[in-house]
């Protein structure tokens, strides 16, 4: 079984058209497909957005019983499916179930004029599923017969691909989740650390597929310290889930400037962070005044540097947000900037004041 990369992600949202408008006008994605009851997707409306190698499906349930509706009722808008590119979806499904994965949707084939797509689904973490996607033929159809293509152009992409997903898990579930991905999916743990900031603390471990193309950063709160943003996410998301989506860009200064001009709100960074930046990370090949103006963070490891920034959450529960990251050789995830992220996120949460109550879910989606 080979997991070659992330084929797409699927968000379950309260209003797919409204969410698509944000991701289009603010983040630079373009509508490339749509489906619903008229294309055989019973009880749902799905929109396919693309930017470079990033494919994102936004799905809204049209009935109270649809899995997207129950997911949103419990968790709010969020990433519900992480689809994995495989060579043999049926074989991968059988192998994963034999290793202990929970089978959710048996293999199903979607056939078009010049392409065939096979999908199957297994459980991942929390209520998040992994959809196994096998693509055959030379066609460009995303899901033949279910998602109809929408033609159109678009500006040059600012974002290139999905770099990683950061996942929050409840206390005591980090090692169990890591073990699950090692045993069932064949991932390997490549990094771990314990982080303490301002009386809060969390444990972080990173797992990656053998191909190196699928990376999960798993975060667990340390209950021996005062509650912080990981607990906040788990509370308002009502359990484990994707806290942020890391998107790689080749030019973070240009990307952040453009997205900020379109209304994307980024977490701020204290100006003092930049005073000794090059003493901490070495010479940076970017104007420091521009990095300061845009609040872009810089970190380094033995392989090089990375530049990164986090958006504020675009959701009413203050849960899911985005990270933009430019890698200049670095292979880690900005550990030196975690304190800065914590401080910026704490300021955001404090400014947000009272958070709305969570409503007291799960298979389904475009490939189910």
């Amino acid at each position: 079984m080979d997991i070659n990369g992330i084929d797409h992600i699927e968000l379950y949202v309260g209003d797919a058209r409204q969410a698509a408008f944000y991701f289009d006008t603010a983040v630079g994605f373009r509508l490339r497909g749509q489906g619903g009851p008229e294309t055989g997707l019973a009880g749902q409306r799905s929109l396919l957005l693309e930017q470079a190698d990033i494919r994102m499906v936004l799905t809204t349930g049209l009935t109270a019983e649809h899995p997207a509706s129950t997911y949103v009722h419990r968790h709010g808008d969020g990433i519900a499916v992480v689809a994995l590119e495989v060579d043999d979806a049926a074989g991968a499904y059988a192998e994963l179930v034999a290793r202990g994965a929970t089978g959710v949707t048996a293999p199903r084939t979607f056939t078009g004029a010049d392409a065939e797509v096979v999908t199957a689904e297994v459980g991942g973490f929390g209520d998040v599923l992994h959809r196994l996607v096998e693509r055959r033929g030379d066609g460009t159809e995303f899901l033949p017969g279910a998602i109809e293509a929408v033609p159109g152009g678009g500006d040059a992409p600012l974002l290139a691909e999905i770099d990683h997903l950061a996942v929050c898990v409840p206390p005591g579930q980090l090692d169990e989740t890591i073990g699950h991905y090692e045993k069932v999916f064949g991932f390997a743990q490549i990094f771990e650390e314990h982080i303490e900031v301002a009386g809060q603390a969390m444990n972080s471990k990173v797992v990656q597929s053998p191909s190196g193309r699928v990376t999960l950063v798993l975060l667990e709160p340390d209950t021996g310290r005062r509650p912080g943003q990981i607990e906040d996410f788990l509370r308002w998301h009502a359990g484990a889930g994707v806290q942020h989506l890391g998107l790689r860009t080749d030019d973070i200064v240009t990307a952040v400037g453009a997205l900020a001009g379109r209304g994307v709100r980024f977490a701020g960074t204290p100006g003092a962070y930049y005073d000794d930046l090059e003493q901490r990370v070495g010479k940076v090949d970017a104007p420091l005044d521009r990095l300061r103006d845009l609040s872009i963070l810089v970190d380094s490891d033995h392989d090089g540097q990375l530049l990164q920034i986090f958006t504020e959450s675009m959701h009413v529960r203050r849960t899911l947000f985005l990270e933009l990251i430019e890698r200049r050789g670095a292979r880690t995830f900005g550990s030196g900037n975690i304190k800065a992220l914590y401080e910026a996120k704490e300021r955001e949460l404090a400014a947000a004041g009272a958070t709305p109550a969570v409503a007291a879910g799960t298979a389904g989606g475009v490939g189910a």
Side-chain angles (χ1 to χ4, degrees), residues 108-308:
R108 178 183 176 187
T109 301
F110 299 82
T111 303
D114 55 357
E116 194 170 69
V117 178
V118 183
T119 70
E121 293 176 338
V122 298
F125 49 86
D127 287 336
V128 176
L129 306 179
H130 288 305
R131 178 175 299 136
L132 311 171
V133 182
E134 172 192 352
R135 299 189 178 276
R136 304 170 181 167
D138 299 325
T140 58
E141 293 176 275
F142 176 74
L143 203 62
I147 297 290
E148 296 179 343
V150 174
D155 301 330
L158 294 167
L159 308 174
E161 64 180 355
I162 295 174
D163 186 87
H164 65 275
L165 296 99
V167 178
C168 294
V169 299
Q173 293 188 16
L174 178 60
D175 288 339
E176 176 185 348
T177 306
I178 293 290
H180 178 73
Y181 276 89
E182 290 176 331
K183 172 189 173 185
V184 175
F185 292 90
F187 284 28
Q189 181 179 318
I190 61 171
F191 186 75
E192 71 174 293
E193 65 181 334
H194 180 77
I195 304 147
E196 297 186 28
V197 180
Q200 305 171 30
M202 67 177 177
N203 298 307
S204 174
K205 295 186 179 183
V206 181
V207 291
Q208 191 173 74
S209 64
S211 68
R213 302 290 297 167
V214 183
T215 305
L216 301 179
V217 179
L218 292 126
L219 310 168
E220 173 194 63
D222 182 343
T223 56
R225 303 302 178 96
R226 73 176 180 88
Q229 62 182 260
I230 306 301
E231 286 93 343
D232 187 84
F233 175 91
L234 292 169
R235 178 186 180 194
W236 298 117
H237 185 265
V242 178
Q243 180 210 43
H244 73 261
L245 175 65
L247 301 173
R248 190 182 64 77
T249 175
D250 294 322
D251 184 351
I252 195 169
V253 171
T254 298
V256 173
L259 268 58
R262 298 172 184 172
V264 175
R265 296 174 62 91
F266 290 95
T269 302
Y273 168 89
Y274 300 92
D275 293 346
D276 63 346
L277 178 63
E278 292 193 330
Q279 283 72 36
R280 288 185 284 111
V281 303
K283 181 67 176 176
V284 180
D285 185 18
L288 292 185
D289 57 346
R290 189 63 173 149
L291 298 181
R292 185 192 302 264
D293 290 343
L294 295 172
S295 291
I296 294 172
L297 306 170
V298 185
D299 198 18
S300 63
D301 61 23
H302 60 277
D303 292 309
Q305 292 181 339
L306 65 83
L307 287 73
Q308 63 185 158

